[in-house]
Amino acid sequence: MIRIGQAGIPLSCKGRTNKDGLVYTKEILDLNAMEVQFVRGLYVMDDEEALFMKEYAQENDVELHVHAPYYINLAGDDEVKLSIEKAMSSAILAEKMGAKTVVIHPGYYGEKSPLETLKLIVKNTQALQDMMLEKSLNVRLGLETMGKQKVFGSLDEIIKVCEQVPGVLPVIDIGHIHARGNGCLKKQEDFEEVFDKLSVLDLDHYLIHVTGVLYEDGNEQYHLPVKKGDMPIGPLIDTVLDHDYNVSLISESPLLEHDAVYLRLQVEKAIMKRTDGEEADYRDLSEIQ
Ligand SMILES: [Zn+2]
């Protein structure tokens, strides 16, 4: 199954609440996923809006995810407590709205070695995971792959944390992987390698962030529209279709929903190419399986 949506409230949506954004995602864009952004400071969502999000998403088959505030450092010395609090508040809100994943950026090396950083992140991710389990939350904790050398979160590192803290999921930001690898994702075999590495985790679903990205020396500079970046989307889609991976593609490009709809069109083109048909619906893969 392929789900497609964008990170946050669509740019073209007049109402600026998450509730407005969700309804617009379904009714106007005809997409079936959305990642709610609590990224700048801690946004407070009242229970009424959270309940609306949950019921609307369930009734209309829209999958929700939540992105916690950007600045979280599970490897910091003094920042861990506050970081865990921020992640927990996001997780509790995510649970209220019935979201599948709460996404965090794990942290920074600072002066520590990569191995020391890994150990700290494993320890504190476990602590966060234990708190979530204690509160019986169903939402899953997701650690995102990061696009800068000084930030913890290469694909290999994220996989190691997920292996050591059972239940924690990788969030595959392919723009970040591409930037960190200084433009490493070009051909289908490059995308295949990403999924091959992830196979040790035996996942039944992949949450994937998609954006074009400007990078230099293995460091992400900023996000670009998908078509302006040098990472092709076709080979990613072919990889997903060839292996029948269950994915949610979330556009994090500056064009948000425009690129989400672009992704959908590319998926539908790829389906038509395989079925020789003149029509396709990204939600229906039955003819190519
Ligand atoms: Zn992120």
Side-chain angles (χ1 to χ4, degrees):
M1 175 166 199
I2 299 184
R3 286 184 179 273
I4 301 177
Q6 77 290 322
I9 302 160
L11 300 167
S12 52
C13 175
K14 218 169 146 198
R16 299 311 297 162
T17 65
N18 281 301
K19 211 160 123 174
D20 299 326
L22 174 61
V23 173
Y24 191 92
T25 299
K26 164 70 188 167
E27 284 174 18
I28 307 298
L29 302 170
D30 195 21
L31 298 175
N32 57 3
M34 175 171 162
E35 190 176 284
V36 173
Q37 305 288 292
F38 289 149
V39 295
R40 303 194 196 281
L42 198 57
Y43 176 84
V44 182
M45 179 182 275
D46 61 38
D47 284 355
E48 196 190 330
E49 186 174 16
L51 186 65
F52 175 90
M53 299 287 289
K54 183 177 184 169
E55 286 177 351
Y56 186 92
Q58 276 171 1
E59 277 162 25
N60 294 283
D61 189 33
V62 182
E63 185 181 88
L64 292 176
H65 302 276
V66 165
H67 200 308
Y70 288 140
Y71 196 82
I72 279 181
N73 190 1
L74 296 180
D77 298 315
D78 312 323
E79 298 153 319
V80 173
K81 193 169 166 271
L82 188 62
S83 294
I84 289 184
E85 279 170 18
K86 282 196 234 177
M88 266 313 278
S89 317
S90 297
I92 289 167
L93 282 171
E95 180 78 13
K96 280 188 189 164
M97 63 181 110
K100 196 174 160 98
T101 322
V102 57
V103 181
I104 63 166
H105 296 175
Y108 299 81
Y109 305 111
E111 301 299 312
K112 299 181 182 77
S113 73
L115 187 62
E116 246 179 302
T117 310
L118 173 72
K119 283 185 184 159
L120 274 173
I121 293 207
V122 165
K123 176 174 155 250
N124 292 318
T125 300
Q126 184 69 64
L128 175 55
Q129 167 88 337
D130 290 346
M131 283 173 79
M132 288 172 65
L133 292 175
E134 230 167 78
K135 285 209 178 290
S136 312
L137 304 188
N138 293 307
V139 61
R140 302 281 293 272
L141 180 64
L143 301 192
E144 184 176 330
T145 58
M146 302 303 297
K148 289 192 175 123
Q149 304 294 330
K150 66 173 188 191
V151 184
F152 178 89
S154 66
L155 178 61
D156 293 327
E157 286 173 332
I158 295 295
I159 290 172
K160 276 188 196 145
V161 181
C162 295
E163 279 185 292
Q164 292 179 46
V165 190
V168 171
L169 301 170
V171 177
I172 305 127
D173 188 312
I174 51 162
H176 286 166
I177 293 172
H178 184 65
R180 195 173 186 128
N182 209 33
C184 61
L185 301 179
K186 290 275 163 66
K187 296 193 281 287
Q188 185 169 342
E189 62 202 56
D190 303 328
F191 290 95
E192 300 263 0
E193 204 186 309
V194 171
F195 285 94
D196 285 348
K197 280 186 174 180
L198 288 162
S199 65
V200 293
L201 298 176
D202 202 17
L203 303 170
D204 56 8
H205 171 257
Y206 300 85
L207 175 56
I208 302 179
H209 288 169
V210 182
T211 178
V213 64
L214 186 79
Y215 55 88
E216 204 180 275
D217 303 327
N219 286 298
E220 166 200 20
Q221 309 281 311
Y222 47 82
H223 289 190
L224 294 171
V226 170
K227 276 193 259 185
K228 301 263 180 200
D230 68 353
M231 178 181 65
I233 287 305
L236 167 67
I237 293 168
D238 284 333
T239 304
V240 168
L241 292 178
D242 283 353
H243 296 269
D244 191 21
Y245 289 132
N246 180 20
V247 299
S248 299
L249 304 174
I250 302 293
S251 163
E252 278 203 340
S253 108
L255 301 180
L256 290 183
E257 76 273 22
H258 301 273
D259 270 341
V261 171
Y262 175 70
L263 286 173
R264 173 173 122 200
L265 294 175
Q266 297 310 304
V267 168
E268 291 179 344
K269 249 195 212 168
I271 296 171
M272 286 188 278
K273 210 172 148 193
R274 284 156 202 251
T275 58
D276 253 339
E278 284 173 8
E279 265 180 12
D281 183 329
Y282 71 102
R283 287 161 293 208
D284 179 12
L285 303 178
S286 57
E287 287 194 31
I288 56 171
Q289 278 158 8

